[in-house]
Amino acid sequence: MTEKTFLASFYKNGKVTELIYCFSEDEVKTMAAVARSRGCEIETFLLAEINEEESVNTNLLTNPETKAKKTWNKFVKCVETDQIFQSVRDCSDKTGIPYMTITNCIKNKNPTRGFHFVLCEVEDSEILVNSRKGKELPNYRKKILCTTTGELFDSVTQLFETYPQIPPNSFYYNMRRNRPVKGLMFEYV
């Protein structure tokens, strides 16, 4: 038995409006009727004629190969200090550098706060523990002092937990301009 594959092109005003694959002559006839109902002309091309009795090369891919997505669950290494972190989130927690800043640093291969970060693969957790030969990265999480009340906060997260009425956007905007936020003055320590 012979199987045929056709390509049907719909033309309207001299431009191709649609390309459709047809796998039998009956489908070509059906597509011709559809083209007429849409006011289009149809042109068909025979793409392939496969004889099922003959051996077919099964090594060919039936689906186009898709590019694999990057996995961000690999270990992160600081190039300057050789320190290895278990994930981008772990690196963010230990250095105080925001998660997205580290992610962008890895993607764009640019430094952040003087450090370069790369993804790396570590097979064994023992290797991870023994490979920390460089100095520890400094913690960039800044402490915040409320000058109005005298309270000291270890992070912005702790400040927002204490004062949930303060909106984050206005907090950063007013703090940079040395203005009060909901009647309170803050500064980095």
Side-chain angles (χ1 to χ4, degrees), residues 9-177:
S9 303
F10 287 29
Y11 288 95
K12 191 169 191 176
N13 298 330
K15 294 182 181 178
V16 177
T17 58
E18 221 172 323
L19 293 172
I20 299 173
Y21 289 102
C22 301
F23 298 102
S24 69
E25 291 179 11
D26 292 334
E27 283 186 42
V28 172
K29 291 176 185 173
T30 306
M31 286 299 124
V34 170
R36 282 192 299 274
S37 69
R38 293 182 184 173
C40 297
E41 297 175 21
I42 187 169
E43 189 173 337
T44 58
F45 304 96
L46 178 63
L47 292 180
E49 193 170 333
I50 299 172
N51 192 350
E52 288 183 5
E53 286 85 32
E54 295 176 11
S55 64
V56 179
N57 187 357
T58 57
N59 294 334
L60 298 174
L61 292 174
T62 54
N63 294 333
E65 198 171 311
T66 56
K67 190 175 182 182
K69 291 184 178 180
K70 285 186 177 179
T71 56
W72 290 100
N73 55 355
K74 294 184 180 178
F75 292 101
V76 177
K77 179 181 178 183
C78 177
V79 176
E80 286 76 15
T81 64
D82 286 335
Q83 186 177 0
I84 297 177
F85 303 95
Q86 290 185 358
S87 65
V88 176
R89 188 72 69 190
D90 179 46
C91 180
S92 174
D93 292 342
K94 290 184 178 169
T95 61
I97 300 171
Y99 174 83
M100 285 308 297
T101 304
I102 295 170
T103 304
N104 289 334
C105 178
I106 293 169
K107 279 185 188 176
N108 302 330
K109 297 180 174 120
N110 58 349
T112 178
R113 300 185 183 165
F115 297 105
H116 290 84
F117 294 96
V118 293
L119 292 179
C120 65
E121 292 183 20
V122 178
E123 290 80 20
D124 193 8
S125 59
E126 226 175 276
I127 297 171
L128 174 68
V129 173
N130 294 334
S131 68
R132 293 186 178 170
K133 56 187 173 193
K135 61 179 182 178
E136 292 284 321
L137 287 177
N139 188 345
Y140 281 102
R141 191 167 283 126
K142 295 180 180 178
K143 295 188 179 199
I144 299 171
L145 175 68
C146 176
T147 55
T148 311
T149 63
E151 292 177 89
L152 184 65
F153 301 99
D154 290 331
S155 65
V156 178
T157 309
Q158 186 184 11
L159 181 134
F160 290 141
E161 288 172 357
T162 308
Y163 295 107
Q165 72 273 14
I166 296 177
N169 291 345
S170 67
F171 169 76
Y172 289 115
Y173 181 83
N174 290 324
M175 188 172 162
R176 274 185 256 134
R177 285 160 182 76

